[in-house]
Amino acid sequence: MCRGDDPTCAAFTEHRLRYRRDMEPERRAFLKSGFVATGGVAALAAGGLSLVSPSLAQTSASRLRQTAHYHLPANAETVHWGYFSKNLKPQVEIASGDFVTIETLTHHANDDAERMVTGDPGAESVFLWTKEKKGVPRRGAGPEDSKLGPGGGLGVHICTGPVAIRGAEPGDVLEVRILDVAPRPSANPKFKGLTFGSNAAAWWGYHYNDMLEGRKREVVTIYEVDASGERDWARAVYNFPWPGVTDPTGLDHPTIDYPGLPVDHTRTKRNFDVLKGIRVPIRPHFGTMGVAPAEADMVNSIPPSYTGGNIDNWRIGKGATMYYPVAVPGALFSVGDPHASQGDSELCGTAIECSLTGTFQFILHKKADLAGTSLEALDFPMIETADDWVLSGFSYPNYLKDLGADAQNAIFQKSSIDLAMRDAFRKMRQFLMHAKGLTEDEAISLMSVAVDFGITQVVDGNWGVHAIVKKAIFAERPAS
């Protein structure tokens, strides 16, 4: 059902106005309550524990004026495909405290265009590709003259934005609250009430060089999701071996080596007898979300880094809050790579890649106000949920700086779980000592007995390990 977030709906304008009317009293009540003054959604758990202390929340809230709610659709004019850049022109500029509903498209929609593109004007404009025209010419951070076209496919995610936050400067921290996540309904009348996503077991997957009998292959599985959100599971519809694609320019793609390749299903062998009786729990989230880094003009969207990006942690969904160190003026927030579900590791290379719409609130915390707070030393993306703090460790915390001039190529050869685990350990140690006032010995003991370390992903160039600590552990500890 359209809630003012489906531009293909015949009554989109009416639904959009109704949604904004419904939201207005909720926003006013939200901003006036102690809820916002103690850190928002996450503060409700574990005795109100949040990274944002009441005093910092009040200081940041004192700068808020009348808030506004913006809507940022996904189309060929509002997305950038495969890269982050500090030089991108903002699609919208907002003030701290404002809300933005942002549409996101999966870059895998052309795996089944009938279900995920047809009839959707925004998606059709993005995926348009004929011999004469490409809806979004640049796909990736590579050179203009690549044989694969501008960008060369060195970066794959369709990101909507950027959103500029007025007054954001390097050294500040941007708090991003994910208030809602909803599936983007299929616009094809044949599939009314449904949403679809694609999972590609691809050549970049962890499994690819370890196939039984050495039979390397790429297989795409299409999943179905209830567009209303009432059904909390997905089911597989069919799968097919990658058939090889000849793109509209005449270039052959024997493997999935370019984002958005149009699959010709007259060449596929669909297997509808797949994963029968299996219900996959859905946990909609955004795989790629973050602010622009400062180190390069154009940055491949695949490896995550200190400003966020392609973290691929399924916990970045509704009710979660993200904290990002601001690296460039305006912060320049973008979001994409929407997933209906993903397991820790994203082992085969992708999740259920499924277009979603999110509603976010942005709170800016100024550098001058951070001294003595839990956010003072934050130099990496951090997740806060109702129950947990989740720290993101990477093989290289800031690979753009750590690996020198050739960083965007070198990162794909140098990652390891050992390095990512070491980074996650160091970040958790810093967090427990700085934010929670523990000694190093106390922090190390607590990590071993009460912190869960997990593999976030092993497919994004800069591999990830996350560390999860329960807020309830600190319920009786005086605030530091």
Side-chain angles (χ1 to χ4, degrees):
M1 176 183 171
C2 173
R3 295 187 295 176
D5 57 3
D6 179 10
T8 67
C9 175
F12 169 71
T13 302
E14 177 188 346
H15 292 164
R16 180 73 192 143
L17 289 172
R18 184 186 306 160
Y19 174 74
R20 295 189 69 168
R21 284 197 302 269
D22 290 346
M23 281 292 293
E24 191 61 38
E26 293 182 21
R27 281 204 312 275
R28 286 199 298 268
F30 178 80
L31 289 167
K32 288 179 180 178
S33 71
F35 187 58
V36 71
T38 55
V41 175
L44 291 177
L49 290 175
S50 171
L51 281 180
V52 179
S53 65
S55 59
L56 177 59
Q58 288 167 0
T59 299
S60 299
S62 69
R63 296 191 179 92
L64 304 186
R65 300 296 179 260
Q66 179 67 40
T67 61
H69 190 154
Y70 301 86
H71 181 255
L72 187 55
N75 57 50
E77 304 302 318
T78 61
V79 304
H80 48 102
W81 194 328
Y83 62 95
F84 283 82
S85 175
K86 61 187 178 184
N87 297 326
L88 279 168
K89 180 182 177 182
Q91 294 298 323
V92 62
E93 183 179 66
I94 68 170
S96 179
D98 284 349
F99 299 76
V100 188
T101 294
I102 306 176
E103 300 175 10
T104 65
L105 298 172
T106 172
H107 50 291
H108 281 271
N110 254 350
D111 290 347
D112 189 332
E114 183 186 27
R115 286 172 167 81
M116 291 186 273
V117 178
T118 299
D120 184 327
E124 288 178 339
S125 73
V126 170
F127 286 95
L128 172 67
W129 191 0
T130 66
K131 197 170 184 179
E132 295 75 29
K133 184 178 181 182
K134 193 186 287 186
V136 181
R138 169 170 281 280
R139 301 184 181 187
E144 285 286 329
D145 59 355
S146 167
K147 71 174 184 178
L148 293 178
L154 300 177
V156 299
H157 308 101
I158 300 172
C159 297
T160 310
V163 175
I165 291 79
R166 199 173 300 122
E169 300 170 303
D172 297 342
V173 169
L174 181 64
E175 176 185 349
V176 182
R177 300 170 180 171
I178 307 173
L179 304 182
D180 194 22
V181 181
R184 186 182 184 93
S186 174
N188 189 329
K190 290 170 59 176
F191 306 107
K192 184 177 177 62
L194 299 173
T195 295
F196 296 89
S198 172
N199 170 252
W203 61 266
W204 63 87
Y206 189 83
H207 71 292
Y208 191 70
N209 293 315
D210 196 8
M211 302 286 282
L212 295 176
E213 301 176 2
R215 293 176 55 245
K216 293 183 181 179
R217 60 197 178 276
E218 294 180 301
V219 177
V220 175
T221 304
I222 302 299
Y223 286 84
E224 174 191 292
V225 176
D226 174 18
S228 73
E230 293 180 6
R231 191 177 73 202
D232 63 355
W233 50 270
R235 71 175 185 91
V237 181
Y238 69 93
N239 69 6
F240 62 92
W242 181 254
V245 166
T246 301
D247 72 31
T249 69
L251 191 64
D252 290 329
H253 302 268
T255 59
I256 308 172
D257 60 3
Y258 195 87
L261 289 168
V263 173
D264 179 359
H265 279 283
T266 65
R267 298 175 58 180
T268 64
K269 297 178 68 173
R270 301 195 200 188
N271 170 27
F272 285 88
D273 189 26
V274 57
L275 291 172
K276 292 296 183 183
I278 304 295
R279 293 185 175 187
V280 179
I282 61 168
R283 36 197 186 193
H285 62 281
F286 299 99
T288 301
M289 191 168 105
V291 297
E295 286 76 9
D297 287 343
M298 195 167 289
V299 178
N300 186 328
S301 69
I302 295 174
S305 192
Y306 74 106
T307 54
N310 190 30
I311 295 176
D312 274 332
N313 191 315
W314 60 262
R315 297 158 185 84
I316 306 176
K318 181 176 180 178
T321 296
M322 291 297 301
Y323 298 91
Y324 300 103
V326 175
V328 301
L332 299 183
F333 172 90
S334 297
V335 57
D337 192 24
H339 297 166
S341 196
Q342 180 206 304
D344 285 334
S345 86
E346 200 180 18
L347 186 137
C348 81
T350 63
I352 299 180
E353 312 284 331
C354 176
S355 300
L356 303 171
T357 296
T359 296
F360 307 86
Q361 187 187 26
F362 299 84
I363 305 292
L364 182 64
H365 301 289
K366 297 297 293 179
K367 180 179 180 180
D369 303 326
L370 299 180
T373 75
S374 298
L375 298 177
E376 180 181 13
L378 187 76
D379 59 358
F380 57 89
M382 188 161 177
I383 308 167
E384 183 173 59
T385 71
D387 299 314
D388 305 320
W389 287 300
V390 186
L391 288 74
S392 299
F394 305 120
S395 296
Y396 291 87
N398 180 353
Y399 75 94
L400 294 167
K401 182 177 72 173
D402 298 337
L403 298 180
D406 193 41
Q408 297 200 55
N409 292 315
I411 186 61
F412 291 94
Q413 283 78 50
K414 292 182 176 291
S415 285
S416 77
I417 288 297
D418 286 349
L419 290 172
M421 178 67 193
R422 180 71 58 187
D423 184 46
F425 154 66
R426 288 172 174 169
K427 285 172 176 171
M428 181 56 77
R429 177 177 58 186
Q430 172 189 295
F431 173 73
L432 293 174
M433 293 177 68
H434 179 85
K436 295 299 159 190
L438 303 188
T439 67
E440 182 179 21
D441 292 335
E442 289 176 321
I444 289 171
S445 179
L446 187 62
M447 275 189 278
S448 191
V449 301
V451 174
D452 292 319
F453 289 83
I455 298 173
T456 318
Q457 52 76 22
V458 288
V459 295
D460 293 339
N462 200 6
W463 291 4
V465 167
H466 54 264
I468 306 174
V469 61
K470 294 288 183 186
K471 293 181 177 182
I473 291 173
F474 306 96
E476 297 183 9
R477 185 176 179 85
S480 57

